[in-house]
Amino acid sequence: MPFLNNTKLKLSELEYQSNLITNDVGDFIFINNKNLKRFQIDALREPEMEWLKQAGIGCADRDTFFYNAHQFKKALRNSPQRKLNYLIIVPTLRCNLRCAYCQVSRADEKAKGYDWTPEIIDKFVEYVDQHAVDNVKIEFQGGEPSLRLDIVLEIVERVKMLKPLAFFVICTNLSKLSRELLSLLNRDDFTISSSLDGPPKIHQENRTISDAETNNFFDNLDLILDQFGSSKISLLPTISDYKNIKDIIDFFFEKKLPDIFLRPVNFQGFARKKFSDISQGATDWLSVYFNALDYIAEKNQLGGHQLVETGLSIHLNRIFKPQSHNYVDLRNPTYLGKDYLVVDYDGKFYPTDEARMLSRIGLVDLEIGNIFGGLNERKVDFLNSRSSNAGNSACKECSFQPFCGVDNIDNISRYGTIDVETLNSHYCITHMGIFKYIFNKLSSRNENFGKLASLCLTGQQGVSAIFGGHHFD
Amino acid sequence: MIELSLRYTGDIPQKEPFVCVVTETGSEPHTRGANKFIKNDGKYYIGGQILSIINQNGILEIGEILIVFPNEKLIQRFYGPKVNGNTILLTEKCDQVCMMCSQPPKNKDYLHWDLYLEAASLIPDGGTLGISGGEPTLYKNQLLQFLIDCIELNKNLQINVLTNAQHFDENDIDKLLILNKNVLWGVPIYSHIASQHDQIVGKEGAFLKLKNGFNCLLMSGSRVELRTVLMQENYAALPKLAKLVSRHFLWVERWAIMQLEPIGYAKIDWPTKFVDTTLYPENLEQAVMIAKASGIYASLYNFPRCTVPPNIRDSCVNSISDWKQKFIPECKTCSQKNSCCGFFEWYDDKSGYKSVMRIEE
């Protein structure tokens, strides 16, 4: 677009005759059709030009403050991952449940040969010592890691000796709340993560099956919430039947949980075999999702509990905080096998948990080394040959490019290749949809949404007025 | 209240000013060969001579670093291990006349570079030294060299310099680079509108120069604390300043939003300057949230916790030095007194906040 000779600007149309202009570092303004025309024919007055400059959209002369502040932001936006700071480990693949859409693939509780050996434990501790940052976070995944709390305990103790700032989280189905697990939860550096599909009826249908197991789960959940507070536990719902979504949200409100992550059932692991029709329908999901977000925003205004939606929060953080690269599925560039690593029950390395699943179901071998021989650098380099959206011709035209990312693993899982037509890919449809939803809401100064967005970004009771200052009208 | 310079009586052998460290007989703190100012049984000795300090509250702590001026019979307290605001006043001259200046400029300098350097070299590990004015960069070349020498002698010394950043230019970038780990530059910005900023600091063209100063600090990777004092003059546009900060100042360490101190020029026409955030909290709340939403850490200095909305109370910093801090009757039973900065010593109920109240648990 020939704006002010600045080729870095990109335009997209929004609802209500508004438009979005973004630049290469994610500064953005909303502009109505009339002003857009004046903008395009270069008919702006001096104060308007100054406003644009402060908004980051106008051209700044080389080597001036605005120019260099812009360069700084560019470096922040594009900073690559360097040091290992997150490890997902699978001390056992065995599990005592058999959930319909098990995402993590599992082995039978009684099976043999699916647990970490003492040798793997030693090698892992050595690997962390050599490669991880001081405040590394280690996530115990499974299978069901509480079946091998002895290993969990040993890892915590040994890692803590080497990395006193290390942090841990255990992903458990909460069927067993042993005294050892409770004492681990007493530590400030140890939290818990579990699945909660909604009210007992839904959770039972999807996961716990029997009344006894269901009661057991909710008793344990309440015990943790009562004893440690809701910040101790993060709870992830899997939504297999979209018409339940409001009941699920209501239940999260009722339990006064701080956040909910609304995602459709995942197209990976064993889930692939049963729910493929649902997970392909990105557009179907989006309309359900946007209704759900509107519902949360409305409910937050009732004066009671306030809920954050994690997916929205991730997208908003990408828009407003150029330094936010924490979410592996939405960042750019995204180098696999650098800051984030999965170590399976047999000591094999995978770049993400999804990659582990894909390999497990035999779709493609994404193993990138193992705890004995280290990273397979050649394979890592190969996987990273297309790790940025900067060279993608469709992304180049898209105003959401600075906020968006790349997820080659997702493309492999859905299409068996990373050579996909971007605009038709599940990844692009989903994220473009969400960004568009957000900018439409912000552009139209939607009060409820503004407060929800503010809550997502600041963690404090929201103030929608903080999204002012972007409207050129 | 700590007095920063003390008068004494008694004769000492030295005639030239010198640096010394307060020690006890028998103890050997970090004197690194400096002169000893010996404290024994509540009496003070230098080179065997007894001194008496005139000021009533002039009790010196072990480990304090002093500069003694024999001709003036004056002791300057340079560094105290337990004091959190050890600051040297380099000069009282300034090229700006800010409408709320707490220390209005005078035509006086205190440029004892060599003494300061020797004293700074004695500051123990983990110590922080402040440098303020007036405007320290009026002596920019000497100042930068002094800072470089300081960290050459004392590698981990943290130095906070308050400056209006009017005088940096491209040629300073190499020197600023050397300093960028040890020095934190506290730089004020009062408005996103050039003319408004200029009016507040009483200097035409100041905003433009400030932008250039920021450019030098940014290009040298310097650490910066942005500082904004609240006044009725800039309060209406505070959210817009926050927006500017959130877009172009991602490189700063933090943004300090400061409540007006009722002293100096601020006292003149106080009612037209002071912003009562208990009556008008919205703009402050928005500014803090805007900064936070972009990942910039905004801190509220000199705000008692009850004077800001609950959702931004976490940003309040316990910033008022204990020697100028006071609590008012309402504070007695307040649940947050321990984490609160309290009020300035010279705070006056009648001209202050309209609705200060104790915060329940």
Side-chain angles (χ1 to χ4, degrees), chain A residues 27-28 50 53-56 63-66 68-69 72-73 76 320-323 454 457-458 460-463 465-470, chain B residues 170 192-193 207 211-212 214-215 218-219 240 243-244 246-251 285-287 289-290 292-296 310-312 314:
Chain A
D27 294 316
F28 66 90
E50 180 58 29
K53 218 184 256 185
Q54 290 206 357
D63 295 325
T64 58
F65 173 62
F66 283 147
N68 286 323
F72 183 89
K73 214 187 238 187
L76 265 190
F320 285 92
K321 296 178 188 154
Q323 65 276 41
S454 164
L457 282 164
T458 67
Q460 306 286 331
Q461 173 131 8
V463 180
I466 72 170
F467 298 107
H470 291 275
Chain B
E170 283 62 33
H192 73 294
I193 306 163
F207 190 80
K211 265 204 291 186
N212 189 52
F214 279 135
N215 192 36
L218 164 61
M219 290 311 283
K240 287 185 176 164
K243 210 75 208 183
L244 183 81
S246 73
R247 283 180 177 130
H248 303 285
F249 289 88
L250 290 160
W251 50 282
E285 183 184 24
Q286 283 177 30
M289 292 292 210
I290 288 169
K292 200 169 185 186
S294 70
I296 289 177
N311 56 345
I312 58 169
D314 280 353

Side-chain angles (χ1 to χ4, degrees), chain A residues 199-390:
Chain A
K201 185 178 165 295
I202 300 174
H203 192 80
Q204 177 164 349
E205 243 169 62
N206 289 346
R207 294 182 184 269
T208 39
I209 316 292
S210 74
D211 288 353
E213 274 299 329
T214 309
N215 291 337
N216 180 35
F217 170 84
F218 282 95
D219 286 350
N220 286 340
L221 175 60
D222 288 342
L223 191 149
I224 288 174
L225 290 173
D226 289 347
Q227 202 169 327
F228 302 98
S230 60
S231 62
K232 198 67 183 179
I233 184 166
S234 65
L235 291 158
L236 292 165
T238 299
I239 301 154
S240 49
D241 190 345
Y242 294 165
K243 70 175 191 300
N244 290 334
I245 201 159
K246 284 191 179 172
D247 294 339
I248 299 169
I249 293 168
D250 286 343
F251 192 70
F252 272 65
F253 268 99
E254 194 185 307
K255 286 275 166 200
K256 295 200 178 344
L257 298 169
D259 43 53
I260 188 169
F261 198 167
L262 298 175
R263 292 170 306 173
V265 64
N266 202 331
F267 185 57
Q268 278 151 15
F270 292 160
R272 191 166 181 261
K273 295 172 184 164
K274 286 185 184 170
F275 296 94
S276 55
D277 48 341
I278 295 175
S279 46
Q280 279 293 19
T283 330
D284 293 352
W285 163 249
L286 284 180
S287 67
V288 173
Y289 178 56
F290 297 153
N291 281 331
L293 289 178
D294 292 347
Y295 183 66
I296 292 172
E298 227 171 87
K299 247 182 120 100
N300 278 351
Q301 294 316 304
L302 300 178
H305 181 67
Q306 299 195 331
L307 189 65
V308 161
E309 200 281 312
T310 309
L312 177 67
S313 188
I314 290 165
H315 286 81
L316 284 165
N317 275 285
R318 289 285 298 162
I319 294 171
F320 285 92
K321 296 178 188 154
Q323 65 276 41
S324 110
H325 305 292
N326 300 332
Y327 191 62
V328 185
D329 295 349
L330 188 69
R331 63 182 184 184
N332 190 67
T334 183
Y335 292 112
L336 299 173
K338 299 290 179 196
D339 61 332
Y340 186 94
L341 201 59
V342 180
V343 189
D344 208 354
Y345 74 96
D346 51 3
K348 287 182 178 168
F349 289 159
Y350 295 96
T352 65
D353 214 24
E354 283 68 28
R356 171 168 74 110
M357 261 59 92
L358 295 178
S359 306
R360 176 113 182 108
I361 59 174
L363 184 69
V364 52
D365 179 14
L366 292 171
E367 179 198 336
I368 52 169
N370 59 62
I371 200 78
F372 306 103
L375 273 179
N376 179 344
E377 298 286 352
R378 201 186 51 82
K379 200 157 172 187
V380 170
D381 287 348
F382 177 71
L383 279 174
N384 284 330
S385 56
R386 243 186 273 172
S387 51
S388 163
N389 66 20

Side-chain angles (χ1 to χ4, degrees), chain B residues 63-95:
Chain B
E64 268 195 61
I65 301 167
L66 311 173
I67 303 177
V68 181
F69 295 89
N71 282 333
E72 291 82 10
K73 299 226 165 171
L74 197 74
I75 297 171
Q76 186 192 341
R77 306 176 81 169
F78 180 85
Y79 177 87
K82 288 179 189 157
V83 180
N84 61 1
N86 291 292
T87 298
I88 15 176
L89 181 69
L90 267 188
T91 174
E92 295 193 66
K93 291 181 192 159
C94 189
D95 55 320

